[in-house]
PDB file of all heavy atoms in Angstrom:
ATOM      1  N   GLY A 516      78.171  -3.253 -47.411  1.00 79.00           N
ATOM      2  CA  GLY A 516      78.226  -1.853 -47.813  1.00 79.00           C
ATOM      3  C   GLY A 516      77.374  -0.945 -46.933  1.00 79.00           C
ATOM      4  O   GLY A 516      76.903   0.090 -47.380  1.00 79.00           O
ATOM      5  N   PHE A 517      77.165  -1.337 -45.657  1.00 76.00           N
ATOM      6  CA  PHE A 517      76.261  -0.593 -44.782  1.00 76.00           C
ATOM      7  C   PHE A 517      76.829   0.830 -44.493  1.00 76.00           C
ATOM      8  O   PHE A 517      76.073   1.800 -44.419  1.00 76.00           O
ATOM      9  CB  PHE A 517      76.053  -1.334 -43.493  1.00 76.00           C
ATOM     10  CG  PHE A 517      75.153  -0.586 -42.523  1.00 76.00           C
ATOM     11  CD1 PHE A 517      73.811  -0.503 -42.778  1.00 76.00           C
ATOM     12  CD2 PHE A 517      75.681   0.044 -41.407  1.00 76.00           C
ATOM     13  CE1 PHE A 517      72.982   0.187 -41.904  1.00 76.00           C
ATOM     14  CE2 PHE A 517      74.870   0.748 -40.559  1.00 76.00           C
ATOM     15  CZ  PHE A 517      73.522   0.787 -40.799  1.00 76.00           C
ATOM     16  N   THR A 518      78.191   0.884 -44.421  1.00 78.00           N
ATOM     17  CA  THR A 518      78.792   2.193 -44.105  1.00 78.00           C
ATOM     18  C   THR A 518      78.484   3.200 -45.219  1.00 78.00           C
ATOM     19  O   THR A 518      78.071   4.341 -44.957  1.00 78.00           O
ATOM     20  CB  THR A 518      80.320   2.059 -43.931  1.00 78.00           C
ATOM     21  OG1 THR A 518      80.559   1.122 -42.897  1.00 78.00           O
ATOM     22  CG2 THR A 518      80.964   3.392 -43.582  1.00 78.00           C
ATOM     23  N   THR A 519      78.667   2.728 -46.456  1.00 81.00           N
ATOM     24  CA  THR A 519      78.379   3.602 -47.580  1.00 81.00           C
ATOM     25  C   THR A 519      76.883   3.971 -47.621  1.00 81.00           C
ATOM     26  O   THR A 519      76.522   5.136 -47.898  1.00 81.00           O
ATOM     27  CB  THR A 519      78.767   2.894 -48.896  1.00 81.00           C
ATOM     28  OG1 THR A 519      80.145   2.520 -48.854  1.00 81.00           O
ATOM     29  CG2 THR A 519      78.548   3.843 -50.087  1.00 81.00           C
ATOM     30  N   ILE A 520      76.031   2.955 -47.375  1.00 77.00           N
ATOM     31  CA  ILE A 520      74.577   3.193 -47.392  1.00 77.00           C
ATOM     32  C   ILE A 520      74.174   4.231 -46.334  1.00 77.00           C
ATOM     33  O   ILE A 520      73.411   5.169 -46.601  1.00 77.00           O
ATOM     34  CB  ILE A 520      73.792   1.903 -47.173  1.00 77.00           C
ATOM     35  CG1 ILE A 520      74.010   0.967 -48.374  1.00 77.00           C
ATOM     36  CG2 ILE A 520      72.316   2.160 -46.970  1.00 77.00           C
ATOM     37  CD1 ILE A 520      73.436  -0.425 -48.161  1.00 77.00           C
ATOM     38  N   SER A 521      74.757   4.067 -45.128  1.00 76.00           N
ATOM     39  CA  SER A 521      74.393   4.953 -44.026  1.00 76.00           C
ATOM     40  C   SER A 521      74.874   6.373 -44.274  1.00 76.00           C
ATOM     41  O   SER A 521      74.286   7.343 -43.792  1.00 76.00           O
ATOM     42  CB  SER A 521      74.939   4.446 -42.693  1.00 76.00           C
ATOM     43  OG  SER A 521      76.356   4.378 -42.766  1.00 76.00           O
ATOM     44  N   GLU A 522      75.990   6.514 -45.024  1.00 77.00           N
ATOM     45  CA  GLU A 522      76.498   7.849 -45.297  1.00 77.00           C
ATOM     46  C   GLU A 522      75.638   8.583 -46.330  1.00 77.00           C
ATOM     47  O   GLU A 522      75.538   9.785 -46.298  1.00 77.00           O
ATOM     48  CB  GLU A 522      77.938   7.771 -45.784  1.00 77.00           C
ATOM     49  CG  GLU A 522      78.933   7.354 -44.710  1.00 77.00           C
ATOM     50  CD  GLU A 522      80.344   7.166 -45.262  1.00 77.00           C
ATOM     51  OE1 GLU A 522      80.485   7.132 -46.501  1.00 77.00           O
ATOM     52  OE2 GLU A 522      81.267   7.044 -44.464  1.00 77.00           O
ATOM     53  N   ASN A 523      74.991   7.846 -47.195  1.00 79.00           N
ATOM     54  CA  ASN A 523      74.229   8.460 -48.300  1.00 79.00           C
ATOM     55  C   ASN A 523      72.743   8.651 -47.979  1.00 79.00           C
ATOM     56  O   ASN A 523      72.039   9.283 -48.762  1.00 79.00           O
ATOM     57  CB  ASN A 523      74.370   7.604 -49.568  1.00 79.00           C
ATOM     58  CG  ASN A 523      75.805   7.622 -50.089  1.00 79.00           C
ATOM     59  OD1 ASN A 523      76.537   8.586 -49.924  1.00 79.00           O
ATOM     60  ND2 ASN A 523      76.216   6.520 -50.686  1.00 79.00           N
ATOM     61  N   LEU A 524      72.240   8.050 -46.856  1.00 80.00           N
ATOM     62  CA  LEU A 524      70.791   8.169 -46.523  1.00 80.00           C
ATOM     63  C   LEU A 524      70.590   9.093 -45.334  1.00 80.00           C
ATOM     64  O   LEU A 524      71.378   9.086 -44.395  1.00 80.00           O
ATOM     65  CB  LEU A 524      70.208   6.788 -46.202  1.00 80.00           C
ATOM     66  CG  LEU A 524      70.046   5.822 -47.397  1.00 80.00           C
ATOM     67  CD1 LEU A 524      69.533   4.480 -46.852  1.00 80.00           C
ATOM     68  CD2 LEU A 524      69.061   6.385 -48.395  1.00 80.00           C
ATOM     69  N   PRO A 525      69.469   9.874 -45.382  1.00 84.00           N
ATOM     70  CA  PRO A 525      69.120  10.676 -44.170  1.00 84.00           C
ATOM     71  C   PRO A 525      68.752   9.732 -43.021  1.00 84.00           C
ATOM     72  O   PRO A 525      68.396   8.548 -43.245  1.00 84.00           O
ATOM     73  CB  PRO A 525      67.884  11.475 -44.617  1.00 84.00           C
ATOM     74  CG  PRO A 525      67.955  11.448 -46.111  1.00 84.00           C
ATOM     75  CD  PRO A 525      68.591  10.148 -46.505  1.00 84.00           C
ATOM     76  N   PRO A 526      68.814  10.213 -41.791  1.00 81.00           N
ATOM     77  CA  PRO A 526      68.554   9.311 -40.623  1.00 81.00           C
ATOM     78  C   PRO A 526      67.219   8.619 -40.664  1.00 81.00           C
ATOM     79  O   PRO A 526      67.075   7.427 -40.374  1.00 81.00           O
ATOM     80  CB  PRO A 526      68.683  10.283 -39.427  1.00 81.00           C
ATOM     81  CG  PRO A 526      69.568  11.373 -39.915  1.00 81.00           C
ATOM     82  CD  PRO A 526      69.283  11.538 -41.373  1.00 81.00           C
ATOM     83  N   LEU A 529      67.151   5.882 -43.183  1.00 78.00           N
ATOM     84  CA  LEU A 529      67.988   4.804 -42.754  1.00 78.00           C
ATOM     85  C   LEU A 529      67.265   3.902 -41.735  1.00 78.00           C
ATOM     86  O   LEU A 529      67.331   2.681 -41.794  1.00 78.00           O
ATOM     87  CB  LEU A 529      69.288   5.367 -42.130  1.00 78.00           C
ATOM     88  CG  LEU A 529      70.271   4.329 -41.617  1.00 78.00           C
ATOM     89  CD1 LEU A 529      70.810   3.460 -42.754  1.00 78.00           C
ATOM     90  CD2 LEU A 529      71.461   5.005 -40.932  1.00 78.00           C
ATOM     91  N   PHE A 532      64.814   1.866 -43.579  1.00 81.00           N
ATOM     92  CA  PHE A 532      65.512   0.763 -44.277  1.00 81.00           C
ATOM     93  C   PHE A 532      65.848  -0.376 -43.350  1.00 81.00           C
ATOM     94  O   PHE A 532      65.677  -1.566 -43.659  1.00 81.00           O
ATOM     95  CB  PHE A 532      66.734   1.357 -44.975  1.00 81.00           C
ATOM     96  CG  PHE A 532      67.666   0.297 -45.520  1.00 81.00           C
ATOM     97  CD1 PHE A 532      67.366  -0.355 -46.716  1.00 81.00           C
ATOM     98  CD2 PHE A 532      68.827  -0.041 -44.872  1.00 81.00           C
ATOM     99  CE1 PHE A 532      68.230  -1.337 -47.205  1.00 81.00           C
ATOM    100  CE2 PHE A 532      69.691  -1.013 -45.340  1.00 81.00           C
ATOM    101  CZ  PHE A 532      69.397  -1.674 -46.529  1.00 81.00           C
TER     102      PHE A 532
END
Side-chain angles (χ1 to χ4, degrees):
F517 179 73
T518 303
T519 304
I520 293 172
S521 62
E522 289 175 349
N523 294 328
L524 289 177
L529 180 63
F532 169 76

